[in-house]
Amino acid sequence: MKSTVFSVAAFAAVAAAAPAKNNLLAVRQSAPAITDGVILNYALTLEHLEDKFYREVLDKFSESDFEEAGFPAPFYANLKSVSKDESTHVSFLTAALKAANVTPVEECTYDFGLTSVNMSIATASILEGVGVSAYLGAAADIMSKNYLTAAGSILTVESRHSAYIRDALAQSPFPSPFDAPLTYNEVYTLAAPFIKSCPSTNPPLPVKAFPMLTASPENPKTVTSGTKITLLTDGYTVKPADGQSQIYAAFITVTGPVFAEATPVEGGFSLTVPTADEGKAPVAGQMYVVLTGCNTVVTDETTAAGPAVVEVTPS
């Protein structure tokens, strides 16, 4: 298999001039100067994905399939309500864009790889968590107060979806006092593997996908701060340009990234899940991890790969 080598020199060089401290989202998020219409289409892109995902799950699996997989009868009915919420979000955002004379994006073609009920609900949990982080990350860029309020209203519903599904998976429904914001490119990186093609008439969005980073299936079933894990770089390699500088895994939180030294291993990097400093957002819940050559700040310019999704059980 051909392996691509990515150098982290450029990322580290940009980061060298960055402040040594970064406390809040505004410091770490490097978002393009975009309009509210672009942001709403970005949100609609994600809502289309979630909407289609739940429709496919409910079409593929019956209530009895869910019961046999260990999910009690109310869960299937509630999942239908979640699906209806996502369809309503699509309708709302589409109408808002048309009212603003902006062409709304249409549904793309997806491949969710739905092989079982349990896998489908695990994917649902990740998608809902990403949805929360996407709205949270974009909120600061929304200029219209009306749009900001509407986006906040959707965010809180997505958060309830996330908590409900996490609880059904025997995960803490509220593992952290803070949710983590993600940049547009970080979110798109997580969504892109599901998107196979989109209508050519869809307005272009100013987003790009970073090289994919995934948590190894061989990682311990329960991961906490202090657990050693492996992140996989399938089909490519990340190396420092000078051959010796340290590469870091950055766990994204609203109060700033928490860094861990990443050690090259076959197929990726190993690291120990770090602990956040006292008074900062903890490393807990659905965490997003990127590879970087910098240990002071994370921006789209300093990110070499990722994010990977790592579930960290609260200590």
Side-chain angles (χ1 to χ4, degrees), residues 98-256:
K98 288 181 177 179
N101 294 317
V102 177
T103 301
V105 295
E106 297 179 8
E107 182 178 284
C108 297
T109 300
Y110 312 97
D111 183 358
F112 299 110
L114 304 178
T115 58
S116 70
V117 168
N118 284 299
M119 185 281 293
S120 298
I121 299 309
T123 301
S125 182
I126 291 174
L127 290 179
E128 292 293 352
V130 171
V132 172
S133 293
Y135 277 100
L136 185 59
D141 294 325
I142 300 175
M143 300 301 294
S144 165
K145 292 183 179 179
N146 289 335
Y147 288 161
L148 179 59
T149 299
S153 178
I154 294 175
L155 186 159
T156 57
V157 172
E158 299 287 358
S159 184
R160 284 196 287 276
H161 292 172
S162 176
Y164 178 73
I165 293 173
R166 286 180 61 85
D167 185 61
L169 292 171
Q171 297 174 337
S172 171
F174 28 78
S176 172
F178 301 97
D179 285 316
L182 292 175
T183 68
Y184 303 103
N185 290 336
E186 288 166 346
V187 171
Y188 183 67
T189 299
L190 293 168
F194 297 111
I195 303 173
K196 298 309 169 186
S197 64
C198 292
S200 60
T201 54
N202 275 3
L205 296 176
V207 294
K208 66 178 181 180
F210 297 116
M212 186 183 299
L213 187 67
T214 58
S216 170
E218 302 302 318
N219 287 340
K221 185 175 181 180
T222 300
V223 174
T224 62
S225 290
T227 300
K228 187 174 182 178
I229 63 172
T230 299
L231 302 179
L232 303 178
T233 56
D234 186 22
Y236 69 95
T237 303
V238 175
K239 293 183 178 180
D242 61 9
Q244 59 185 13
S245 294
Q246 180 65 53
I247 293 176
Y248 300 92
F251 288 69
I252 296 169
T253 81
V254 73
T255 54

Side-chain angles (χ1 to χ4, degrees), residues 39 44 90 119-120 122 165 170 195 200 260 266 283 312:
I39 295 174
L44 180 56
V90 168
M119 185 281 293
S120 298
I165 293 173
I195 303 173
S200 60
E266 184 176 357
V283 177
V312 181

